Amino acid sequence: MIFDFSFILVAATLLTGVIWAIDSLAFKPKRVAAASAKGIALDNIREPLLVEYARSFFPVILIVLVIRSFLFEPFRIPSDSMMPTLLDGDFIFVNKFSYGLRLPVLNAKVVAIGEPERGDVIVFRLPKDPATNYIKRLVGLPGDHVVVRGQNLYINGERVKVDMVGIYEGHGHDGAQLATEHLGSRDHQVLYLPGREARDYDEIVPAGHYFFMGDNRDNSRDSRFFEVGFVPERNLVGKAVRIWLNWDLPSAPIWDRIGDPIR
């Protein structure tokens, strides 16, 4: 069980729903009968304040819970580890049903829909701290042999093709090398930082687990590090699909990022 905002929503939904239901079944009929005996019109019967609040907030909280748990959830990007795809301060929508419907709090899959694909940008729960969410690009599928040597990435013995584009001229990391990586059927941009020591790696992804890397290859704490490691399937939250706002002072907002799809 994960005690996060989803837990608060579930608890609030249950609390308001139970209060409303108990009043409707046990106490409201008594109020109506007493008012009728005194000749008071039904429209003039006052509900207890707690019941009034519960009845008003229950449907709103329930709708938010359903949307956030099964459809889309907003997240804020807190670092530059996914540059240039995502910037610090980007607010994104994550598709919660791309890889199946999961129960909130318990995170148990109840409906299988799709499978993660190499190259997807995915939000997942950190295996060693499930209350913490990370966002990285899926590089290694279960059973893949992943090798990282400097700026070279190999999957099952084949080098992933990278085309150098030139000097990155975006937000932050002046002088970084910009490249286009052809990961499976996906083309996306990555950054390499001059002077940074590369994090080499050589492992086989276990069954039921995934290997993730940040697009800012030399400035990303990802599956190459012990603190993250392989991510089990049950920790996947959803697929990042679109940027809906960027707000990171002093440059905020960056208007041309609003509405951009995440590739």
Side-chain angles (χ1 to χ4, degrees), residues 84 151-153 159-168 176-184 186-192 215 217:
Q151 295 181 355
N152 297 312
L153 170 63
R159 180 178 176 273
V160 176
K161 183 180 178 183
V162 175
D163 297 324
M164 301 306 296
V165 175
I167 300 299
Y168 176 66
Q177 295 290 323
L178 180 66
T180 298
E181 183 176 74
H182 308 279
L183 187 60
R186 310 290 181 84
D187 294 345
H188 64 277
Q189 292 186 320
V190 295
L191 285 185
Y192 300 106
D215 289 348
R217 289 295 163 81

Side-chain angles (χ1 to χ4, degrees), residues 16-17 19-20 24 28 47 49-60:
T16 53
I19 291 173
W20 187 17
S24 297
K28 185 177 179 179
E47 289 181 327
L49 189 60
L50 180 62
V51 175
E52 183 179 347
Y53 279 139
R55 179 174 56 81
S56 299
F57 284 116
F58 172 75
V60 176

Side-chain angles (χ1 to χ4, degrees), residues 72-252:
F72 295 95
E73 183 175 354
F75 285 89
R76 182 190 183 279
I77 304 303
S79 73
D80 60 1
S81 68
M82 279 297 292
M83 286 179 63
T85 304
L86 296 171
L87 304 181
D88 188 357
D90 279 345
F91 288 81
I92 66 171
F93 281 126
V94 171
N95 185 326
K96 298 295 290 287
F97 57 86
S98 292
Y99 311 130
L101 299 182
R102 296 178 181 273
L103 294 176
V105 181
L106 298 178
N107 207 37
K109 183 183 290 188
V110 291
V111 179
I113 296 178
E115 295 295 330
E117 297 182 4
R118 197 188 319 276
D120 286 353
V121 177
I122 296 175
V123 171
F124 59 88
R125 300 183 187 277
L126 190 64
K128 292 178 174 56
D129 179 15
T132 300
N133 292 308
Y134 267 36
I135 181 167
K136 305 292 179 184
R137 191 176 297 276
L138 176 56
V139 171
L141 300 173
D144 282 348
H145 183 197
V146 179
V147 176
V148 181
R149 292 285 181 267
Q151 295 181 355
N152 297 312
L153 170 63
Y154 301 86
I155 299 178
N156 298 324
E158 295 187 10
R159 180 178 176 273
V160 176
K161 183 180 178 183
V162 175
D163 297 324
M164 301 306 296
V165 175
I167 300 299
Y168 176 66
E169 298 179 351
H171 302 274
H173 288 305
D174 295 337
Q177 295 290 323
L178 180 66
T180 298
E181 183 176 74
H182 308 279
L183 187 60
S185 61
R186 310 290 181 84
D187 294 345
H188 64 277
Q189 292 186 320
V190 295
L191 285 185
Y192 300 106
L193 306 183
R196 291 286 185 93
E197 183 179 351
R199 181 79 175 191
D200 289 349
Y201 190 85
D202 187 341
E203 292 288 346
I204 295 176
V205 184
H209 290 70
Y210 297 92
F211 178 90
F212 290 89
M213 294 181 71
D215 289 348
N216 193 349
R217 289 295 163 81
D218 300 323
N219 195 40
S220 172
R221 190 163 296 276
D222 47 39
S223 289
R224 292 172 290 176
F225 293 79
F226 172 78
E227 297 91 328
V228 180
F230 298 118
V231 178
E233 189 273 340
R234 65 178 178 274
N235 283 48
L236 303 185
V237 174
K239 180 180 179 181
V241 292
R242 195 166 296 272
I243 300 167
W244 61 273
L245 179 66
N246 175 280
W247 192 271
D248 185 36
L249 297 174
S251 59

